[in-house]
Amino acid sequence: MSKIWQWLKTPSAKYSAGFLISLSFIVGILFWGGFNTAMELSNQESFCISCHEMEENVYKEYQDTVHYSNRSGVRATCPDCHVPKVWHHKVMRKIRATNELLHKALGTIDTPEKFENKRLELAHHVWDEMKANDSRECRNCHDYESMDYLSQRSRSVKQHIKGFDEGKTCIDCHKGIAHSLPNMATDDPSATR
Amino acid sequence: MNTINKLFLLLLLCVTAMQINAKEVEIQSLRGNYDLDELSPEPEIKRRRDSDRVKRQFGLQPPVIPHLTKGYKINLKFNKCLTCHSWENVKKTDAPRVGFSHFVDREGANSKKVAGRRYFCVQCHVTQADTPALIENTFKPANK
């Protein structure tokens, strides 16, 4: 250990400072590029559904919804809703995603039954997060400032005006927008069997 | 040929013509003349916006729904309709609330939650649409 430290501390006699600076520049760029490429690769829908846990449950359900196919042809993919756009939020989310890799290895949700049993907990993670950040990912595409109430349906308008006045956020009213909901017995008992 | 024979021949001709005609009139089902394993042409998709509420046409008619219900899920774990129409939720949403009858199960007992036989809303309630009648009919609302 102390030997390595010694070696690191002694100034280089062989290489010029200019060479060393350029070298660290190049290595830095390579690392940074690699890091970003990894971030980008893991930010594609094909990556999200490369594991069967996602492909067989949430992905199938999402294919039935507006965000998969609509009249405008604009699709919201998994990372659009689940990965922040802003860099530091994004890195934080990716770091937390390592926990998901662990559970993938442990097989925590590797059957539809296990997935269903965990679903309420998983959904709550997303709801709590969206509640805390005022549904930031929804607002990347939707903005209540630019909503044209004249072209919205009357019920949407009524609820939006009232809801935004009361400080509500998208996820308060639009749970289950992309997937089947878990058993809602604890969250809204009146809307369950 | 005498007249009787001529008349007889004419009659025969008429009858055959009528039979040929009769064959052309075929029974047609609502889905049109297509074999069972064949696909009938897709119906025109009706695009609808929300509309005003349509009044009931007879007593105890399940009211029709004045808004789209596309994508609304109803399953054992969750009922999208009740997120606005349940007794708890109408306080927030001002939606019409489900009727008393919906809380009575088939044994006649009152339940706290919507009874099983009433749980699947769209079995009786449909989104209203102003479309031509499928079959010509003379229906008039009872009160008119």
Side-chain angles (χ1 to χ4, degrees):
Chain A
M1 209 47 211
S2 59
K3 257 192 186 164
I4 298 172
W5 186 234
Q6 270 303 315
W7 179 76
L8 278 174
K9 252 171 62 178
T10 37
S12 163
K14 246 196 201 146
Y15 305 109
S16 70
F19 174 77
L20 283 177
I21 289 171
S22 326
L23 187 72
S24 45
F25 240 85
I26 292 164
V27 170
I29 287 170
L30 285 180
F31 262 108
W32 184 242
F35 179 72
N36 265 343
T37 310
M39 287 252 281
E40 278 320 308
L41 280 180
S42 66
N43 226 17
Q44 281 170 8
E45 189 151 280
S46 52
F47 175 79
C48 307
I49 56 170
S50 62
C51 74
H52 71 100
E53 282 91 340
M54 293 301 124
E55 196 191 347
E56 276 159 31
N57 300 295
V58 279
Y59 179 60
K60 285 234 174 84
E61 299 153 10
Y62 146 79
Q63 284 182 310
D64 250 359
T65 70
V66 258
H67 287 103
Y68 184 77
S69 154
N70 55 59
R71 64 199 170 114
S72 346
V74 182
R75 179 176 290 179
T77 61
C78 326
D80 287 328
C81 287
H82 289 293
V83 185
K85 291 267 179 292
V86 181
W87 195 81
H88 65 277
H89 290 311
K90 183 159 149 182
V91 173
M92 288 309 288
R93 182 68 188 87
K94 292 285 172 191
I95 292 170
R96 265 188 296 130
T98 50
N99 182 43
E100 286 156 27
L101 293 179
L102 171 71
H103 282 284
K104 163 78 190 163
L106 292 174
T108 312
I109 48 168
D110 62 2
T111 67
E113 292 75 20
K114 284 190 193 169
F115 189 86
E116 235 11 88
N117 284 338
K118 269 262 170 193
R119 184 168 225 157
L120 185 63
E121 187 189 328
L122 298 177
H124 260 289
H125 291 166
V126 180
W127 293 334
D128 295 349
E129 198 175 61
M130 287 191 172
K131 183 104 186 100
N133 63 25
D134 191 11
S135 315
R136 183 182 53 217
E137 272 65 70
C138 312
R139 289 185 295 108
N140 280 338
C141 293
H142 301 269
D143 182 0
Y144 46 76
E145 299 272 315
S146 24
M147 278 184 181
D148 176 6
Y149 285 149
L150 284 178
S151 61
Q152 279 192 0
R153 290 167 283 159
S154 58
R155 283 161 197 83
S156 318
V157 177
K158 210 169 99 188
Q159 289 294 315
H160 284 155
I161 292 179
K162 192 167 144 236
F164 296 139
D165 269 356
E166 290 168 359
K168 291 219 172 106
T169 180
C170 319
I171 201 64
D172 284 326
C173 303
H174 290 290
K175 294 191 177 69
I177 187 72
H179 316 291
S180 294
L181 281 169
N183 194 321
M184 297 297 279
T186 48
D187 291 75
D188 186 357
S190 73
T192 55
R193 259 310 281 147
Chain B
M1 243 194 260
N2 61 27
T3 0
I4 298 222
N5 265 353
K6 271 188 194 154
L7 270 176
F8 184 70
L9 211 73
L10 198 72
L11 195 74
L12 209 74
L13 261 166
C14 283
V15 169
T16 345
M18 269 160 74
Q19 264 174 343
I20 291 171
N21 247 339
K23 271 209 186 110
E24 274 168 14
V25 181
E26 273 181 40
I27 300 168
Q28 201 166 352
S29 80
L30 276 178
R31 74 187 280 274
N33 263 336
Y34 302 95
D35 277 346
L36 277 184
D37 53 358
E38 208 183 314
L39 290 177
S40 52
E42 284 172 26
E44 183 203 343
I45 296 173
K46 306 227 162 42
R47 296 181 200 284
R48 292 192 51 76
R49 308 291 294 171
D50 289 358
S51 40
D52 292 336
R53 289 170 72 176
V54 167
K55 283 212 196 83
R56 297 193 211 200
Q57 301 293 300
F58 54 91
L60 299 185
Q61 181 198 358
V64 283
I65 308 171
H67 57 81
L68 299 173
T69 52
K70 189 170 159 244
Y72 287 13
K73 287 201 178 102
I74 303 173
N75 58 31
L76 276 176
K77 295 174 289 176
F78 169 76
N79 181 325
K80 173 79 178 173
C81 311
L82 289 176
T83 61
C84 287
H85 293 282
S86 78
W87 283 48
E88 275 78 4
N89 291 332
V90 290
K91 291 175 211 148
K92 287 176 280 173
T93 58
D94 286 339
R97 75 185 177 194
V98 289
F100 284 113
S101 59
H102 294 47
F103 294 87
V104 183
D105 66 17
R106 63 177 172 188
E107 263 82 47
N110 274 302
S111 58
K112 256 181 92 180
K113 286 187 170 181
V114 170
R117 57 181 184 162
R118 291 294 165 87
Y119 185 73
F120 292 97
C121 319
V122 289
Q123 261 182 315
C124 298
H125 302 278
V126 293
T127 293
Q128 68 195 23
D130 196 6
T131 56
L134 280 178
I135 299 176
E136 220 178 285
N137 65 77
T138 57
F139 175 82
K140 282 210 175 59
N143 56 356
K144 276 178 199 158

